[in-house]
Amino acid sequence: MDIVICKNAETAEKLAAAIIADALAAKPNLTLGLATGATMENLYHKLADMKLDFSLCKTFNLDEYVGLPAEDRNSYRYYMNYHFFDRINIDKRNTHLENGVAEDLEAECARYEEMMEEAGGVDLQLLGIGLSGHIGFNEPFSDWSSRTRAVNLTPVTMAQNGPYFDEAKGEKMPNRALTMGVGTVLDAKKLLMLVTGERKADIISKALEGPMTSMVSGSAIQLHPDCVVILDEAAAAKLTMKDYCYSAFANDPKWDAYRDIVK
Ligand code: GLP
């Protein structure tokens, strides 16, 4: 795992954008796994500003709330259209999120897995981390062979994401979601985790330096053979192994192209 600590969120987002842009340049028909959350908003805006060619690209998002249709402003489909898809030249028919209003959720999840398989799997999976340690919506005790499925959200996640829902307007956060499983995420050819901000310092130290445990599903990324984690200094504040984080970056020619961004 390569861990890169950037001086601030802006630099971290720029580095993540550059890595995605290069993956797309190397493979124009890239299959991207995408994530939502406040952390990703500026990354998507930056990627859109780069005017890249996404016309051959396919995307699969990690997760979607159960019960929210695409036009609901709190759905992840709405988020993705707003922050990314409506700003780039992607063919919307190639963008996929689980359908949280499907009648048969189990069948919907199986269909989603099949679609990913038919697309040849995810080439590059973008990940954030929730305060519960989740990747996607894989809450504590999600087993590591788990696939796309319906899950219950924990109180920590309800508290983290609840404020996005405006109760005065009758909006209510669903307590269930559809999410790629930990096993689904680990099947991606490459993982790119982006985590910024002080409030993530505790959970990111558990995920990266703690034991691999299903109580912190983010720690599963330690198993992946090609995983890059980009942090800002605030998120990295509680890592005890900080001195090791730059080592790959300093010596490995694969990072040459990115040195100017991070310096
Ligand atoms: C949601 C998503 C996760 C994401 C997390 C982080 O819960 N399901 O995939 O990693 O948000 O959110 P934020 O970036 O807002 O902290």
Side-chain angles (χ1 to χ4, degrees):
M1 180 189 303
D2 286 333
I3 302 173
V4 183
I5 302 171
C6 298
K7 55 181 179 293
N8 54 34
E10 163 91 13
T11 311
E13 291 152 10
K14 272 192 194 158
L15 178 60
I19 291 173
I20 294 170
D22 284 351
L24 188 64
K27 187 178 178 190
N29 62 344
L30 193 71
T31 299
L32 267 177
L34 296 176
T36 50
T39 312
M40 302 301 161
E41 292 178 12
N42 286 330
L43 168 63
Y44 290 140
H45 302 168
K46 283 191 170 68
L47 280 169
D49 289 345
M50 290 162 88
K51 303 279 177 235
L52 305 170
D53 182 6
F54 286 96
S55 60
L56 299 175
C57 186
K58 286 196 191 80
T59 68
F60 289 91
N61 263 77
L62 285 165
D63 45 16
E64 178 61 284
Y65 288 111
V66 168
L68 298 190
E71 55 283 3
D72 188 301
R73 72 166 197 103
N74 288 300
S75 74
Y76 284 162
R77 164 54 81 178
Y78 189 97
Y79 168 110
M80 290 308 302
N81 287 346
Y82 179 75
H83 290 294
F84 199 33
F85 300 148
D86 286 341
R87 302 169 189 236
I88 58 174
N89 70 338
I90 200 160
D91 182 343
K92 283 256 183 77
R93 288 169 301 183
N94 289 335
T95 67
H96 307 282
L97 286 93
E98 298 91 337
N99 176 7
V101 292
E103 248 171 57
D104 182 340
L105 295 178
E106 210 175 304
E108 168 59 13
C109 293
R111 185 191 70 95
Y112 203 67
E113 287 276 343
E114 269 166 35
M115 278 196 304
M116 276 187 278
E117 207 180 307
E118 274 163 28
V122 169
D123 292 308
L124 172 58
Q125 176 67 55
L126 183 62
L127 294 171
I129 195 165
L131 294 177
S132 68
H134 66 213
I135 46 175
F137 268 134
N138 290 286
E139 299 285 45
F141 301 110
S142 294
D143 74 77
W144 286 10
S145 57
S146 53
R147 311 301 305 183
T148 304
R149 68 208 188 287
V151 295
N152 298 322
L153 302 177
T154 56
V156 172
T157 298
M158 295 301 287
Q160 183 185 348
N161 291 357
Y164 294 112
F165 293 76
D166 187 347
E167 277 184 19
K169 289 188 183 145
E171 295 174 3
K172 197 166 177 286
M173 181 174 163
N175 58 9
R176 297 189 83 207
L178 304 182
T179 182
M180 285 186 199
V182 179
T184 319
V185 170
L186 290 177
D187 279 352
K189 295 178 190 88
K190 183 182 180 79
L191 301 181
L192 177 61
M193 179 179 266
L194 173 66
V195 182
T196 56
E198 195 186 348
R199 72 180 181 147
K200 298 283 176 67
D202 268 324
I203 197 63
I204 202 66
S205 75
K206 286 189 183 132
L208 302 184
E209 294 184 338
M212 291 189 285
T213 165
S214 65
M215 280 174 283
V216 179
S217 69
S219 68
I221 67 170
Q222 295 178 33
L223 280 174
H224 198 280
D226 186 359
C227 176
V228 175
V229 181
I230 303 176
L231 307 173
D232 66 354
E233 280 178 5
K238 297 203 171 154
L239 293 180
T240 59
M241 304 284 282
K242 253 194 240 173
D243 290 348
Y244 294 82
C245 293
Y246 280 113
S247 55
F249 198 80
N251 304 323
D252 191 332
K254 79 178 175 194
W255 289 103
D256 282 351
Y258 306 105
R259 273 183 228 289
D260 278 353
I261 298 174
V262 179
K263 70 176 184 260

